[in-house]
């Protein structure tokens, strides 16, 4: 392997690498991944480290997509024919000081990621909208677009809450008939499970399935002085639902940007295998701890199932 791997940890059911994912994924064998799920860095919204390999360390959205394209192409190559990848993204705001015209508004980051995938050969398969609370968003971002003061004095300045999206793509290719289907036993997955997973909007509260934006792994442990901005961990239940719908037990899930390991943690707890890459040393170290913990819990759960059979 010629990719620089700064550290690695091989467990019984997972492999974690501290490296640049673009270099690493390029060297992975073809058709070795059953499913991938991850949040890419949101263009330049967060810079996780000073490293020039950090994909968030870019000057523009165009530069981000140009770098991301290399990974998206390799993700297609390493994915088994007929199988899927899911990205967790949102649209991004821009402000007057970053705009030539001095205007402010929204950048279609989600659409740009979709175009990058389609150009690389992926088939656009599905988009799930994740409901997010605008009050929490206002408290977190203090965004001008969400202030009641503006609503009262000039509502043309106001926008609304920004949802998140899970966008799913499929590798449509020769040989897909040879890949085992993803099967769901009706005893364990009755019709209402399917009707729930098939919802186009996953709600935070209310009518349909409740997603919980606070159900995340604790990131505080991994923060260090060099962290310029904070990591935003992937909510655990989103991965759990996707892994349940799109993989069979024992299959391999890949996250090229695993951060502190959320996608892997859920995959292992639910009896899947996991491969993850992460550039930032402190996040990688925390991921290895969480993945080890999930591997042990997953193995215990398996023992209980076997004992009950
Ligand atoms: C949105 S965060 C992922 C968070 C993760 N889903 C979690 O729950 O912890 C994106 C991650 O990509 C990492 N990253 C950025 N550029 C990278 C690269 N070239 N190779 C590997 N990881 C990279 C960042 O350090 C950051 O941890």
């Amino acid at each position: 392997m010629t990719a620089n791997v700064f550290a690695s940890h091989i467990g019984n059911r997972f492999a974690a690498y501290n490296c640049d994912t673009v270099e690493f994924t390029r060297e992975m064998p073809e058709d070795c991944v059953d499913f991938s799920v991850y949040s890419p860095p949101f263009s330049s919204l967060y810079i996780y480290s000073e490293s020039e390999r950090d994909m968030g360390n870019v000057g523009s959205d165009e530069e981000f997509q140009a770098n991301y394209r290399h990974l998206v192409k390799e993700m297609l190559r390493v994915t088994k024919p007929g199988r899927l990848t899911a990205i967790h993204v949102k649209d991004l705001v821009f402000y007057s000081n970053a705009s030539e015209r001095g205007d402010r508004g929204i950048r279609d980051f989600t659409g740009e990621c979709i175009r990058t995938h389609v150009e690389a050969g992926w088939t656009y398969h599905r988009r799930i909208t994740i409901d997010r609370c605008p009050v929490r968003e206002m408290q977190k971002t203090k965004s001008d677009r969400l202030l009641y003061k503006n609503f009262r004095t000039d509502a043309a300045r106001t926008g609304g809450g920004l949802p998140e999206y899970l966008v799913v793509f499929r590798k449509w290719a020769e040989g897909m008939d040879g890949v085992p289907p993803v099967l769901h036993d009706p005893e364990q997955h009755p019709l209402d499970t399917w009707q729930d997973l098939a919802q186009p909007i996953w709600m935070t509260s209310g009518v349909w399935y409740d997603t919980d934006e606070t159900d995340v792994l604790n990131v505080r442990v991994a923060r260090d002085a060099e962290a310029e901005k904070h990591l935003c961990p992937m909510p655990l239940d989103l991965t759990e639902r996707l892994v349940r719908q799109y993989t069979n037990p024992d299959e391999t899930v890949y996250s090229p940007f695993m951060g502190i390991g959320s996608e892997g943690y859920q995959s292992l707890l639910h009896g899947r295998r996991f491969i993850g890459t992460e550039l930032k040393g402190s996040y990688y170290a925390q991921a290895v701890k969480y993945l080890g913990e999930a591997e042990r819990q997953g193995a215990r759960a398996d023992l209980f199932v076997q004992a009950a059979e």
Side-chain angles (χ1 to χ4, degrees):
M1 171 161 283
T2 56
N4 280 308
V5 175
F6 309 116
S8 63
H9 186 104
I10 313 296
N12 288 326
R13 297 179 67 83
F14 76 89
Y17 300 91
N18 176 206
C19 61
D20 175 353
T21 193
V22 183
E23 284 181 9
F24 185 89
T25 310
R26 198 177 289 146
E27 296 190 8
M28 284 170 69
E30 207 168 310
D31 302 348
C32 64
V33 167
D34 295 288
F35 181 59
S36 50
V37 52
Y38 64 95
S39 306
F42 291 174
S43 192
S44 55
L45 183 65
Y46 302 113
I47 300 171
Y48 300 97
S49 58
E50 289 300 338
S51 167
E52 61 184 30
R53 292 186 164 105
D54 183 336
M55 246 195 236
N57 217 345
V58 287
S60 68
D61 291 350
E62 291 73 31
E63 195 187 332
F64 174 82
Q65 293 297 337
N67 295 341
Y68 186 37
R69 191 161 293 128
H70 297 296
L71 176 68
V72 167
K73 255 175 56 192
E74 295 303 326
M75 293 298 287
L76 182 72
R77 190 183 59 76
V78 302
T79 300
K80 289 186 182 158
R83 291 306 188 85
L84 305 110
T85 187
I87 59 168
H88 173 239
V89 285
K90 64 189 288 190
D91 292 341
L92 305 173
V93 292
F94 68 88
Y95 301 101
S96 317
N97 56 4
S99 150
E100 271 176 32
R101 292 200 300 159
D103 57 344
R104 51 179 115 154
I106 297 181
R107 289 133 66 194
D108 183 18
F109 181 65
T110 309
E112 286 165 14
C113 290
I114 293 173
R115 280 186 285 281
T116 296
H117 276 78
V118 171
E119 281 163 22
W122 286 97
T123 300
Y124 181 20
H125 188 73
R126 175 185 192 188
R127 183 204 299 229
I128 304 155
T129 301
I130 313 296
D131 174 49
R132 286 293 174 242
C133 170
V135 178
R136 273 178 69 94
E137 188 183 329
M138 185 276 293
Q139 287 161 346
K140 224 165 117 184
T141 63
K142 305 283 181 272
S143 166
D144 195 52
R145 303 165 47 79
L146 293 172
L147 298 182
Y148 180 52
K149 181 182 78 168
N150 290 341
F151 176 71
R152 292 191 320 261
T153 54
D154 181 7
R157 294 171 64 146
T158 58
L162 290 172
E164 294 167 11
Y165 302 102
L166 286 167
V167 190
V168 184
F169 305 90
R170 192 163 183 213
K171 176 169 173 175
W172 204 275
E174 254 176 61
M176 31 196 279
D177 298 341
V179 175
V182 180
L183 298 173
H184 289 107
D185 175 358
E187 296 262 314
Q188 284 172 4
H189 302 275
L191 179 64
D192 56 355
T193 302
W194 164 231
Q195 289 175 343
D196 169 26
L197 290 172
Q199 293 293 345
I201 303 174
W202 293 356
M203 297 297 286
T204 309
S205 59
V207 221
W208 302 307
Y209 167 74
D210 275 0
T211 92
D212 182 353
E213 56 190 301
T214 60
D215 178 24
V216 294
L217 289 177
N218 184 0
V219 71
R220 232 161 296 146
V221 277
R223 284 190 186 148
D224 61 28
E226 76 181 271
E228 285 190 29
K229 295 262 172 72
H230 298 316
L231 182 87
C232 201
M234 167 89 129
L236 294 173
D237 54 358
L238 301 185
T239 303
E240 191 263 317
R241 289 167 67 81
L242 289 169
V243 162
R244 196 142 53 97
Q245 179 166 353
Y246 289 122
T247 63
N248 293 305
D250 265 337
E251 287 189 342
T252 300
V253 177
Y254 178 36
S255 171
F257 299 107
M258 74 172 163
I260 57 168
S262 315
E263 297 88 83
Y265 184 85
Q266 281 297 66
S267 301
L268 293 168
L269 278 189
H270 292 88
R272 274 62 176 177
R273 296 167 194 275
F274 179 71
I275 304 172
T277 51
E278 169 56 44
L279 185 62
K280 195 172 160 71
S282 56
Y283 293 163
Y284 159 81
Q286 187 56 42
V288 168
K289 287 187 194 150
Y290 279 135
L291 295 173
E293 197 182 293
E295 185 178 73
R296 286 189 293 279
Q297 281 186 40
R300 266 201 301 275
D302 209 38
L303 272 181
F304 285 126
V305 174
Q306 283 170 17
E309 280 168 359

